[in-house]
Amino acid sequence: MIYPRTNDRVSVPEGTPNGTLFVCVDKTYGKGIRDIGTNQLVSLKDCAMGYWTDNNLQGAHGYDCQWVMARCRGRIVGVWKIDSNKGWRSPAEMPKETAPNDCPTDGNRKGCALIDVGDDIKNLFVSKVVHLGRSHNPLRGYFFG
């Protein structure tokens, strides 16, 4: 099953773990975005962490995912485990390391702590092509069964 559903072609790299949440970072990663308070460049990890609306997370079954893969222009650029001990929290409870001043206050957004994985896992997926079909939801949770 694929969430959210799409009629377009979907293809993910072989071996993608069940419960992977794909995050599109096309609009943020590599754009030279800096934190407004620290002037520090925002990291790929913080771009992938995002602060996602509850509707997007529910639609992608994000709360059930254990992995995050960031994709940029159709290729995977980062892989992390979701810290299930911390879960999904508000921006105030889960500040970004390189963008601490990115703190939406609409009360309906959540981020998760991401755990770095080893190069052995990263190398299986980074730079691989991924096609997620078309959907209004920037998050795409994938589950195979």
Side-chain angles (χ1 to χ4, degrees), residues 15-84:
T16 297
N18 290 345
T20 296
L21 184 66
F22 285 93
V23 176
C24 179
V25 295
D26 287 356
K27 294 181 181 178
T28 55
Y29 175 62
K31 303 294 183 186
I33 297 173
R34 295 181 176 272
D35 181 77
I36 58 170
T38 67
N39 200 35
Q40 186 175 12
L41 276 173
V42 178
S43 69
L44 170 60
K45 187 176 184 178
D46 283 342
C47 290
M49 176 184 165
Y51 289 125
W52 309 102
T53 66
D54 188 56
N55 286 341
N56 282 344
L57 286 166
Q58 285 183 24
H61 291 247
Y63 294 115
D64 300 325
C65 289
Q66 300 89 36
W67 294 87
V68 167
M69 290 193 193
R71 68 179 176 94
C72 188
R73 294 180 291 283
R75 293 195 179 268
I76 296 172
V77 293
V79 181
W80 301 269
K81 287 281 290 179
I82 293 174
D83 187 340
S84 59

